[in-house]
Amino acid sequence: MTETVVWGTGRARAVLATTILGSGMAMLDSTIVNVALPRIGAELGASVAGLQWILDGYLLALASLILVAGSLGDRYGRRRVFTFGVLWFGAASLLCGLAPTTELLVAARVLQGIGGALLTPGSLAILQSVFARADRSRAIGAWSGLSGVATAVGPLLGGLLVQAWSWRLAFLVNLPVAAVCVWLARRHVPESRDESLTGHPNVGESVIGAVGLAGVTGALVEAPVRGADALVLTAGALGVAGLVAFVVAQRRGRDPLVPPRLFADRTFVLANALTFLVYAALGGVMVLMVLQLQVSLGYSPTASGLASLPITLIMLALSARSGDLAQRIGPRAQLVAGPVLIGVGMLLLRRVEPGAGYWTGVLPGLLVFGFGLAAVVAPVTATVLAAAPDRYAGVASGVNNAVARTGSLVAVAVLPAVAGLTGDRYADPAALTEGWQRALLVCAVASVVGGLLAVGTDNRVLRATPDAHECHSCPVDGPPAHMRD
């Protein structure tokens, strides 16, 4: 039996600190690198495609392997896999910090993404497995808020580190964090696993999915530079074939990596669709915003990081409360309103152009953007996990994280081309501003569509003690999509 952790105890605080440090480290690295991109590009002579691969190499490995990583945690122990992932991530961060060329940095980022895949779903699965049911939404809310702060504070910390010495510090800072996280995990986090699982996980299916994502991503990144040449067409065809084969394998396999029964739940499907659209919008905007502030408005790396500080403060103040509110009234209102607010904030950020002042041009959009994030992040995470049986905590967390990272991956691969930013055009303030405004419009539409999808979610999904016979996301007179385990 897994030891149950109760909210408000010292053990609960230690478990939260461990999971926040681990997942926050991975989230921080996703944003802290954005601020360093101009300096990396200048020092290593990277093109737009090179900068895209520095971001997408990490996201590709993370999104491709996060499903099998969630399954490994359910099978072999969530704390064990989480701890191994933290160690791997720290070692890969060291390689990133020492990389002398763009190609070696991309390779190290891929290795870093593997570590991120191992630790990210484990943090949520640990919370879902060890906390008492009545405390889970509160714990996930606290995790979302403080981990979200790590994401939001990334640009500020990145700016400070880049100006203090070099972009390499953006990676080397992970080493002491990883050491503390491993110590806390081994000392305070109870081990948990799904005792019903036997045999070995289906790694082959994960490889097929990884090949699919790699092929499609490679084609999307390289097509604007190379055109529809043989390499791009071959990569795209292999990618589509791999993704189709992965879906077929999940539907027909005896022991699928992602149990199809999860997708019989309408709320699970809609919450993940919302996650994809919102995180695609976020991923695209956060990458371009740092470039826009530094290149077009002349901000220093530190100033561009400080610019997003209001998002950090809003997330810190409101995310845990947002999780509590969703537990009390149901998550649907926040799942709809949050993405709509994010979209409105993005439209306001179109005023961030050369000559714009911070207080009138930058801050209004960031405030609306931050309130939208605080409204949706904790409820959507809690909704996805609550819509899945407890025994699938690791897989459900893996699916949601894979969907989020794939959204960011697609945005980073596609958005520069959609915005007209290829080659070295990101260094031209006029071209960057034009692309920035076009990209914001696309991202705002995606976010609002995600919010509208949430209208169809089950508002009862976060009940602390659901009826054993309660049917989620199915007609009253129809067969249940699944019964709660």
Side-chain angles (χ1 to χ4, degrees), residues 4 39 45 113 130 140 163 177 206 305 307 310 315 332 337 372 378 382 388 402:
T4 300
R39 296 288 180 91
V130 306
I140 291 171
Q163 286 196 229
V177 177
S206 183
M315 291 289 290
R332 186 188 296 146

Side-chain angles (χ1 to χ4, degrees), residues 16-45:
L16 269 175
T18 306
T19 56
I20 289 167
L21 274 178
S23 58
M25 180 175 62
M27 292 179 184
L28 179 67
D29 215 66
S30 298
T31 55
I32 197 174
V33 176
N34 293 343
V35 176
L37 282 178
R39 296 288 180 91
I40 293 173
E43 182 175 325
L44 301 183

Side-chain angles (χ1 to χ4, degrees), residues 74-227:
D74 288 342
R75 190 178 301 265
Y76 297 119
R78 296 172 182 119
R79 184 187 66 180
R80 177 183 298 176
V81 173
F82 172 83
T83 303
F84 183 76
V86 172
L87 289 170
W88 183 296
F89 192 91
S93 297
L94 176 62
L95 295 178
C96 288
L98 300 177
T101 66
T102 302
E103 293 76 14
L104 288 175
L105 178 56
V106 170
R109 286 283 282 166
V110 171
L111 292 175
Q112 198 180 36
I114 295 173
L118 291 169
L119 71 89
T120 302
S123 59
L124 273 172
I126 287 170
L127 296 181
Q128 185 74 1
S129 301
V130 306
F131 271 91
R133 181 181 291 276
D135 295 331
R136 288 175 188 172
S137 288
R138 180 182 291 182
I140 291 171
W143 175 90
S144 298
L146 293 170
S147 297
V149 167
T151 303
V153 82
L156 170 59
L157 182 58
L160 291 171
L161 293 174
V162 167
Q163 286 196 229
W165 179 56
S166 165
W167 58 266
R168 299 179 186 278
L169 277 179
F171 298 105
L172 299 177
V173 72
N174 291 325
L175 299 181
V177 177
V180 172
C181 186
V182 169
W183 179 80
L184 285 172
R186 293 179 65 85
R187 184 176 178 86
H188 296 290
V189 176
E191 185 60 280
S192 63
R193 59 172 56 86
D194 182 355
E195 302 291 349
S196 69
L197 290 176
T198 57
H200 298 288
N202 196 331
V203 178
E205 291 179 5
S206 183
V207 171
I208 293 172
V211 169
L213 275 176
V216 170
T217 302
L220 292 173
V221 170
E222 296 296 332
V225 179
R226 307 174 63 98

